[in-house]
Amino acid sequence: MVAWLAQCAAMKNQKEPLPGTLPLPPDVAFDPGRMLRMAVEFYEVGILCGGKPGTMARTWYAHPEVVNLAFAAELALKGLQVAFGVAERPHGHDLRALFDALPPAVQDRIQGDDNTVMKAERLAGVSHVFLTWRYAFEHGEVGVSID
């Protein structure tokens, strides 16, 4: 996931996100560029929570890291769906379903990076991470498998 999401980072400074958090009226289309820029922002925050060398975090904040990275992937997949005309207003949190809805050429491009979590066979282990980890206390112990 790191490599393909990092490719979106170049778009980050092209256009600032619009202010406000109100939902768009039904006749306003989602902006895939804005969606991808937001995905990059959530990705970068997730990395900061990781407690890895070279980041600001000295402690590993596992839940915020996992939730932010999962949400980043969700926003990126939804942005790609809008950009490639798959859906005007994609919804849902199932990463595998969002990925499977993309055109095969886009899927192939994403899977071209050997280090990506977005391999079809790896998505099964992370498809519902956002739902389970954001309220982990409701699920007992939670885990992630990307092998």
Side-chain angles (χ1 to χ4, degrees):
M1 180 172 88
V2 173
W4 73 269
L5 191 52
Q7 292 174 0
C8 297
M11 300 175 64
K12 181 179 174 188
N13 295 320
Q14 289 180 358
K15 177 179 157 189
E16 288 300 314
L18 298 173
T21 58
L22 297 175
L24 292 172
D27 60 335
V28 175
F30 285 177
D31 176 356
R34 182 176 182 202
M35 295 170 79
L36 291 171
R37 287 188 302 278
M38 288 177 65
V40 170
E41 291 172 4
F42 278 99
Y43 169 78
E44 290 175 349
V45 168
I47 294 301
L48 288 174
C49 293
K52 297 172 179 68
T55 69
M56 291 173 41
R58 294 186 178 134
T59 304
W60 181 30
Y61 299 104
H63 293 94
E65 177 186 22
V66 172
V67 170
N68 278 294
L69 293 176
F71 192 53
E74 178 184 322
L75 284 176
L77 291 169
K78 288 178 177 179
L80 291 170
Q81 283 188 3
V82 173
F84 287 94
V86 172
E88 290 182 7
R89 295 174 159 277
H91 61 278
H93 303 292
D94 184 327
L95 297 180
R96 179 64 191 256
L98 294 170
F99 178 83
D100 287 346
L102 292 171
V106 177
Q107 291 181 17
D108 291 344
R109 178 77 185 264
I110 292 170
Q111 294 187 97
D113 175 14
D114 289 335
N115 296 320
T116 187
V117 173
M118 292 298 167
K119 298 280 188 194
E121 64 273 10
R122 292 181 179 167
L123 277 173
V126 298
S127 284
H128 300 285
V129 165
F130 180 74
L131 290 174
T132 56
W133 278 70
R134 71 180 171 167
Y135 297 116
F137 59 87
E138 294 178 350
H139 302 282
E141 292 197 29
V142 292
V144 176
S145 172
I146 58 171
D147 294 329

